[in-house]
Amino acid sequence: MADTATTASAAAASAANASTDAPPFQLGKPRFQQTSFYGRFRHFLDIIDPRTLFVTERRLREAVQLLEDYKHGTLRPGVTNEQLWSAQKIKQAILHPDTNEKIFMPFRMSGYIPFGTPIVVGLLLPNQTLASTVFWQWLNQSHNACVNYANRNATKPSPASKFIQGYLGAVISAVSIAVGLNVLVQKANKFTPATRLLVQRFVPFPAVASANICNVVLMRYGELEEGIDVLDGDGNLVGSSKIAARHALLETALTRVVLPMPILVLPPIVMSMLEKTALLQARPRLLLPVQSLVCLAAFGLALPLAISLFPQMSEIETTQLEPEIARATSSRTVVYNKGL
């Protein structure tokens, strides 16, 4: 019955879209093909669109209701595919796909760049003291921990103790690596002051990359113990798989290593060149605003590139999973929410 209603809604939407370029709407499916990197890149540009941070509660309710009307075949005449895709974009940007609960604004993927850029600027400040290094690494991993938790696979309940363990592990690893590398650089007598300053600017990357892996694994370790839900092509629950959980965490961890590369490596290179220009040498007060813009540009480029490495709803062959999963479905492949 629901399939008939959805088909009727799809036919109505198609009739209203004869003159538009929007592809036919598919409920719960990405607008762009997820089999190619470019398709995933365009999909995640929608997910991280900061304009969705300003969507009102009323607009969110309207978007959710429009999708419900489509699902039940009660879509009003004249609704276009573009309107349906827009409604789904709003829902996916604000609501968790597993719980349908609102994600707190600073921890949404659409808020990652606006709320994360000031932290990146702080991480890359020159001539950091021990206290400032500890503070910025703590703040960065606190933000990352909350983003990881808010965008986790939530098909299984996770106790607060797991969150605390992951958070503490990530903060301790990040601070230890950053402080240790800074001490080593300071004791390196062969470096000139200029070289030492340049090397110090690259210290945040290994600290952040290592801590990011620690953060993801510890924050989501419960998934490895209990498994995550896998679904067939029709969205029906097949079972819970620890192997799928392992794949999900590996893909997310790789994303978290790639993500800080452009953010923490490109700005130091760019700034080392810009600082030699006559404009910034004559106006040193412009250094911080310029560095902030460089970090914002690097962040805006790196985030969609990194999270596009793998689709959020990843696919895996049942032959690679537990025997009980393979026996529970006739589908050759199943999908799982990798998380972000």
Side-chain angles (χ1 to χ4, degrees), residues 163-182:
F163 173 81
I164 296 171
Q165 288 174 11
Y167 171 69
L168 292 177
V171 170
I172 292 170
S173 62
V175 171
S176 301
I177 294 170
V179 171
L181 289 175
N182 270 323

Side-chain angles (χ1 to χ4, degrees), residues 52-83:
T52 58
L53 295 173
F54 302 100
V55 171
T56 63
E57 189 69 32
R58 178 182 175 183
R59 178 71 185 95
L60 175 61
R61 286 198 303 269
E62 290 174 351
V64 172
Q65 186 59 53
L66 190 64
L67 296 176
E68 284 296 311
D69 291 345
Y70 177 89
K71 181 178 180 180
H72 295 102
T74 57
L75 201 63
R76 66 181 184 274
V79 175
T80 64
N81 281 324
E82 188 61 49
Q83 288 174 304

